Amino acid sequence: VARYGFRPVLTGGLLGSAAGLGVLATSSPGSPVWVFEVGLGLLGAGIGLTMPPATGAIMSSLPPHKAGVGSAVNDLVRELGGAFGIGVLGSLTLVHYRGRLLGALAGQPVAAGRYADAGLAQAFAVGGGPGSPLGVAARYAYAAGLDLGMMVGAGCAVVAAAVVWLGLRARRRLPPASPVPAPGGQSAPDSERLVRETGH
């Protein structure tokens, strides 16, 4: 951020997160491990490039006496985003899982079918384990639901990247710490000035 500014770093982080979600969404239970490692690596790098600069952008846009308000708003937005993301994407995953599992539940008792609808672990319990016909169908149904949720999340990240790029003002790079004139006309860092002024 100090070198390139908030806008390119935030946009790149969001696009990295979208790329990671896209890789994970195109995987399947039979994909090699490295596919998941690449997807999770891109997702983690994207989050790391997005969260701290977003906080910095919020705090740097406010005067010092509004710093408390800015911090509170930042925390509120982050918590709301997490709650809505989990709620909406989780609901999409579960709805798609149930839809894909309907065919495998044919012939099962109604109570068992309702129990299997609740989630993957419940389907394993009803069907007799992950290797059972119902268990295999549930694994692929759940993976399909996760794929949908992650694709929607990737789309949201791309839209957010476009909004950040178009809406966030291009800011100059953060200036380096300015030296403080020291006695005798030489410059000293702020920490030395603090020592001289406070005696600590």
Side-chain angles (χ1 to χ4, degrees), residues 107-122:
Q108 294 281 348
V110 175
R114 289 177 179 172
Y115 189 66
D117 266 351
L120 193 59
Q122 290 85 347

Side-chain angles (χ1 to χ4, degrees), residues 37-136:
E37 292 173 346
V38 170
L40 291 172
L42 287 171
L43 180 60
I47 293 173
L49 286 172
T50 301
M51 299 296 280
T55 300
I58 292 173
M59 299 304 295
S60 67
S61 65
L62 298 171
H65 68 279
K66 294 288 186 180
V69 175
S71 177
V73 170
N74 176 63
D75 290 343
L76 174 64
V77 170
R78 184 175 300 175
E79 295 295 334
L80 283 177
F84 277 111
I86 292 171
V88 173
L89 299 183
S91 298
L92 286 174
T93 298
L94 185 59
V95 168
H96 199 65
Y97 162 77
R98 287 174 173 172
R100 294 288 295 267
L101 195 62
L102 279 176
L105 291 176
Q108 294 281 348
V110 175
R114 289 177 179 172
Y115 189 66
D117 266 351
L120 193 59
Q122 290 85 347
F124 290 165
V126 170
S132 65
L134 179 59
V136 172

Side-chain angles (χ1 to χ4, degrees), residues 125-183:
V126 170
S132 65
L134 179 59
V136 172
R139 286 171 56 202
Y140 278 88
Y142 193 75
L146 283 177
D147 291 345
L148 175 63
M150 286 185 288
M151 286 301 295
V152 172
C156 292
V158 170
V159 171
V163 170
V164 167
W165 183 259
L166 297 174
L168 189 64
R169 281 185 311 169
R171 297 189 181 180
R172 294 175 299 181
R173 288 175 270 181
L174 294 176
S178 56
V180 178

Side-chain angles (χ1 to χ4, degrees), residues 5-37:
F6 289 108
R7 188 166 68 163
V9 175
L10 282 169
T11 303
L14 288 167
L15 291 178
S17 297
L21 288 170
V23 170
L24 293 173
T26 56
S27 63
S28 71
S31 297
V33 175
W34 65 264
V35 174
F36 299 99
E37 292 173 346

